[in-house]
Amino acid sequence: MPTAEEFRTALRELMQAAQDVGKPWIEVPSKDLHERLGGYPGLRHQMPVCCGVMRQEMRVGDEIRRSPPSGAGATLLVRYALPRDGLAMPEPEDLDLEGFPAGVQHQAARQALPIISRAARTGSKLTYQGLATALGRPVRHARAMAQVCDLLDCASTLSRRPLMALWTVRSANGEINPDAWMKDALPELRDLLIAEAKAHEFSEADEEAMRGALDGLVGMGNRKAWAYVRTIISQEEMVARLKGEEPPPPQLDSINDLGTDEPRVVLAAGRRYVRDPAVREAVIRRARGLCEFCKEPGFLKADGTRYLEAHHIIALAAQGDDRMTNVIALCPGHHREAHFGKDAASMEAEMVRIVEEKQAARS
């Protein structure tokens, strides 16, 4: 599969070719860039990496002309202003971690992951200063390394794994980062997370799960990544899991849009339809891990499967059928857009067409 460096080289070759013939700008679709190197479409594509590189290469005067809801998909379109200097590949030491936190922080996290994983599997401990040195960076980047580790802990949380970086990479005095999980965190959460990591025997499976989660966080620094993850996993859910308790019940809103063939109405906090999980399961199997609207894979779950959500195209409350012909598998971003986006009506028409084609192909 193509690497970040290969995407960067291919992108700069396109810029150079356009610049050589005097063009004032070039528009690059992420889909075309990935197809240029192969591997797309396909279940093992590297579209998040491709989009991350495209965003990293932006300068003043460049413009994102079209952006997918997730930020990293085949519909990303960037216009790069020309001419531009420095189209040769930079050396790793030329990258300024603190000057470009979202792009380079993510790149540094991917470089740091195998180093931290090896230490965790052998029971060794690192320091932020030592991690900076291992990545070929000056010791003064220790604070930036703490941010990189925070991004890795975000990936651990997204993949439902113990916090490898928090436990393995320490302050210069050998202590766990005293600031981690202190501000705006539930009082007992820090101690529970540390205890879980201490008792866990880290393995290559943890590293692989974290790498998959990082792919879903491309283009995000540690702060934006945590803001995103907390929309999926609340602190209350984390505490309940760590204490072996039942998680708090989900809110009964329009996002929980699953159903049955002849929906019954039950009383809860208001009225909602009782739904048949068999419909959801059949639709998720039909999707084979890809959002049926944007064709992008759902993020990788801890069990190795892809996460998707089932959505009723015509809502049950609007007399929509609860059958596979009215249900589509969506990534979380497009599911929420289908409910709350300004283009919901046009999306609905397109989803009807997609599902009709899917069902016709099955018959």
Side-chain angles (χ1 to χ4, degrees):
M1 293 293 104
T3 65
E5 289 73 19
E6 289 170 335
F7 281 123
R8 199 182 313 276
T9 298
L11 177 58
R12 292 185 176 190
E13 287 175 350
L14 291 172
M15 293 181 193
Q16 187 68 62
Q19 183 168 302
D20 289 345
V21 297
K23 290 186 177 181
W25 48 262
I26 179 175
E27 288 189 347
V28 180
S30 56
K31 179 176 180 290
D32 291 357
L33 180 60
H34 201 318
E35 288 180 342
R36 182 182 179 89
L37 294 177
Y40 186 87
L43 291 177
R44 293 174 59 82
H45 70 77
Q46 298 296 306
M47 187 58 73
V49 178
C50 176
C51 293
V53 168
M54 290 177 63
R55 291 175 184 273
Q56 291 169 24
E57 288 296 294
M58 292 183 66
R59 302 179 184 177
V60 175
D62 296 341
E63 179 184 359
I64 294 178
R65 305 283 288 178
R66 185 175 64 239
S67 180
S70 65
T75 58
L76 178 65
L77 178 66
V78 180
R79 175 180 287 185
Y80 298 97
L82 300 172
R84 58 208 291 139
D85 297 325
L87 288 180
M89 283 291 292
E91 295 298 322
E93 58 266 27
D94 293 334
L95 297 174
D96 183 357
L97 186 67
E98 296 176 325
F100 203 139
V104 180
Q105 191 182 96
H106 190 276
Q107 179 183 356
R110 293 190 69 87
Q111 294 171 340
L113 177 56
I115 298 172
I116 297 172
S117 178
R118 281 194 297 272
R121 296 198 305 270
T122 59
S124 304
K125 298 294 182 288
L126 303 170
T127 63
Y128 297 121
Q129 293 82 358
L131 182 60
T133 300
L135 293 180
R137 301 184 181 279
V139 173
R140 62 182 171 82
H141 278 188
R143 184 165 178 265
M145 290 299 105
Q147 297 171 346
V148 167
C149 289
D150 192 40
L151 179 57
L152 287 171
D153 284 337
C154 187
S156 292
T157 301
L158 186 58
S159 58
R160 271 73 171 183
R161 302 281 172 151
L163 303 190
M164 179 189 292
L166 177 68
W167 176 251
T168 305
V169 187
R170 308 292 182 91
S171 301
N173 60 7
E175 295 181 355
I176 293 175
N177 186 343
D179 297 325
W181 295 92
M182 293 298 293
K183 183 180 179 182
D184 300 327
L186 295 177
E188 57 188 332
L189 186 52
R190 174 184 165 95
D191 290 341
L192 288 169
L193 289 168
I194 291 173
E196 180 190 41
K198 180 179 180 180
H200 185 71
E201 186 174 338
F202 289 100
S203 67
E204 292 182 357
D206 295 306
E207 178 183 346
E208 186 62 29
M210 291 171 64
R211 184 177 293 106
L214 271 177
D215 286 344
L217 300 173
V218 168
M220 303 182 198
N222 58 316
R223 292 183 180 179
K224 286 188 177 180
W226 275 116
Y228 166 68
V229 170
R230 282 171 180 151
T231 66
I232 301 172
I233 309 169
S234 69
Q235 291 191 31
E236 289 78 11
E237 288 178 289
M238 294 174 68
V239 168
R241 179 183 65 80
L242 292 165
K243 296 174 74 172
E245 299 174 351
E246 287 292 322
Q251 296 298 311
L252 301 177
D253 58 23
S254 58
I255 290 300
N256 299 311
D257 188 17
L258 305 176
T260 60
D261 283 351
E262 295 183 2
R264 294 175 288 117
V265 175
V266 298
L267 293 177
R271 286 158 52 95
R272 71 182 181 95
Y273 291 100
V274 177
R275 296 143 173 136
D276 183 358
V279 176
R280 175 189 181 278
E281 292 170 4
V283 169
I284 297 300
R285 285 197 302 271
R286 182 184 67 194
R288 298 183 179 180
L290 300 179
C291 171
E292 293 183 308
F293 187 79
C294 67
K295 306 301 188 293
E296 297 295 326
F299 63 78
L300 197 65
K301 298 194 294 183
D303 63 2
T305 62
R306 295 284 177 178
Y307 180 83
L308 294 172
E309 298 174 354
H311 167 70
H312 286 81
I313 301 171
I314 308 300
L316 300 180
Q319 306 303 311
D321 295 331
D322 187 24
R323 301 184 183 278
M324 291 181 67
T325 51
N326 187 46
V327 182
I328 188 170
L330 299 177
C331 59
H334 277 123
H335 194 179
R336 282 153 180 77
E337 187 177 6
H339 283 283
F340 308 118
K342 66 180 181 65
D343 297 324
S346 60
M347 286 180 69
E348 179 179 296
E350 177 64 8
M351 286 188 288
V352 168
R353 184 194 64 78
I354 290 171
V355 170
E356 284 179 348
E357 290 183 356
K358 288 262 185 180
Q359 290 300 104
R362 289 168 56 91
S363 60

